[in-house]
Amino acid sequence: MPPVNSAGRAVRQASLREHNLALVLRHIAAAPRPPSRANIAATTGLTRATVSALVDDLITGRLLTEVDPAPRAGAGRPALGLVLADHGPAGLGLEVNVDYLAACLVDLTGTVRHRAVHRMDLRPVPPDDVLARLAGLISEAGTEAHRQGLVLAGAALAVPGLVSAAGVVRLAPNLGWRDVDALAALANHPTLTGLELTVDNEANLAALGELHANPTGPTSFVYISGEVGIGAGIVLNGVLFRGARGWSGEIGHVPVHPDGLPCRCGGQGCLEQYAGQEAILAAAGLSPITRLISAAERGEPATRRALADAGAALGVAVAGVINLLDVDTVVLGGSYAALARWLAPPVEAEIRRRVLTAAWSPVTVRPAR
């Protein structure tokens, strides 16, 4: 009788093999120390012969590599360990933000093999020109991947706005983009030929990055990406929460002062106008962010006050999210990660003041990994 899947349908042999290959690969990726073939067989329930054949295929495919075993006591030759390969497939991460373009090449072990950041104010630049400049970074990353013997397996583009399932940037208020088909604009780039390109909101992708970078950490959290704009990636029980149309997380446009400053989105009193990167720099009278950090480290009153005010505004918005979603961890990312030591205390103070369950259910506020 053929094996069946969870839906009660027979599983094709090819599908069963793919399932087992993924099972072995995930087991090795999550292992605290390099497991042997025998370890994998004992843990997964697969036979040793099956595991050995699967491992051989994964090694041939440059997904795994063997390493010398740790010394051990007792008789017998210790078995070789298995780890993810650093010389096979790699992922290409791309980002368009308000004040920079970036490309990042990452191998299967999570090691960054190449990174390029091009800083400039992109608000006055037409979308086609922005994507053309990004194409230059893609070419550079592709050349570097080839030089290092890596094979690009996929690419993802992060943008600060609302992205449809088809890869269209419906609205990016801080860039002035509306209905920009980023996926189509980059699909014919030679470096991306044959690759799946994902386009998504930058806070969503950052939240997924945080989830995978910390596999033993919380499975429910809110990731707050603080740049010129402010976005949130919401992870619930290990799954990214996207909302009904995939547009959740626009915390930067939650009003913290309903009759306050006008926002680029057309609203008033949005969080971005009080806790966005440019708002903090303007309140401190400093630029760029590196000078702000230096001034904060020296304890300059205007800088500390600007950060405290921004943290309080951020805390008001975050408290509302916690009351609604009941998460116990808030992760500060983007430029907020470098400012977390000054932003976290006022955020925590607002959480204690405004979250209904704060007295017996503490919330952790920490920088992104």
Side-chain angles (χ1 to χ4, degrees):
M1 180 177 178
V4 295
N5 62 18
S6 59
R9 297 173 181 166
V11 177
R12 294 182 299 106
Q13 193 63 32
S15 297
L16 181 61
R17 180 175 175 277
E18 290 169 3
H19 169 83
N20 288 338
L21 283 167
L23 176 65
V24 170
L25 194 64
R26 283 197 302 269
H27 177 81
I28 293 167
R33 60 183 63 85
S36 67
R37 287 169 169 80
N39 296 145
I40 297 167
T43 303
T44 62
L46 299 171
T47 67
R48 289 199 181 192
T50 298
V51 168
S52 184
L54 294 170
V55 166
D56 287 345
D57 286 347
L58 291 168
I59 290 174
T60 301
R62 298 169 67 191
L63 297 171
L64 295 180
T65 190
E66 293 179 312
V67 295
D68 291 333
R72 70 173 191 179
R77 180 181 175 185
L80 292 172
L82 295 159
V83 296
L84 297 177
D86 63 359
H87 56 274
L92 175 61
L94 307 166
E95 184 172 5
V96 174
N97 218 305
V98 178
D99 54 351
Y100 65 87
L101 298 171
C104 184
L105 189 65
V106 184
D107 69 26
L108 197 59
T109 70
T111 302
V112 175
R113 305 291 289 268
H114 166 79
R115 187 196 303 272
V117 180
H118 179 52
R119 297 194 177 278
M120 65 175 295
D121 187 350
L122 294 170
R123 281 168 286 199
V125 183
D128 288 347
D129 291 349
V130 172
L131 294 171
R133 296 183 191 205
L134 182 65
L137 295 185
I138 295 172
S139 297
E140 181 183 323
T143 299
E144 188 60 24
H146 180 74
R147 187 188 72 78
Q148 296 189 40
L150 301 170
V151 178
L152 288 179
L157 169 61
V159 294
L162 304 177
V163 183
S164 75
V168 176
V169 184
R170 290 300 183 194
L171 180 65
N174 290 313
L175 282 170
W177 287 17
R178 186 180 292 272
D179 293 327
V180 175
D181 195 342
L183 189 62
L186 298 173
N188 294 323
H189 192 288
T191 300
L192 302 179
T193 300
L195 297 183
E196 180 180 354
L197 173 63
T198 298
V199 183
D200 205 342
N201 174 268
E202 57 93 16
N204 282 344
L205 292 177
L208 289 174
E210 184 71 18
L211 178 66
H212 291 292
N214 189 19
T216 61
T219 58
S220 295
F221 60 87
V222 175
Y223 181 104
I224 311 292
S225 176
E227 301 286 353
V228 172
I230 305 172
I234 302 167
V235 175
L236 301 176
N237 298 320
V239 178
L240 183 70
F241 176 77
R242 294 181 175 277
R245 292 173 292 275
W247 297 339
S248 68
E250 290 297 323
I251 194 173
H253 299 290
V254 170
V256 291
H257 296 290
D259 297 320
L261 298 170
C263 181
R264 294 183 187 91
C265 73
Q268 282 184 273
C270 294
L271 176 62
E272 283 183 5
Q273 302 307 309
Y274 300 90
Q277 181 177 294
E278 288 187 333
I280 298 173
L281 292 173
L286 293 170
S287 186
I289 196 77
T290 50
R291 287 189 62 200
L292 180 83
I293 294 170
S294 296
E297 288 173 339
R298 292 193 302 270
E300 292 189 6
T303 300
R304 292 288 185 90
R305 186 164 52 253
L307 289 167
D309 291 345
L314 180 59
V316 171
V318 166
V321 172
I322 296 170
N323 275 326
L324 191 65
L325 298 179
D326 186 31
V327 293
D328 61 5
T329 303
V330 176
V331 179
L332 301 179
S335 62
Y336 283 172
L339 300 172
R341 72 181 102 165
W342 302 288
L343 292 176
V347 170
E348 291 166 343
E350 293 298 330
I351 289 173
R352 288 192 298 270
R353 179 184 173 194
R354 299 174 184 274
V355 172
L356 189 64
T357 59
W360 57 87
S361 182
V363 175
T364 299
V365 180
R366 63 166 177 81
R369 289 177 179 269

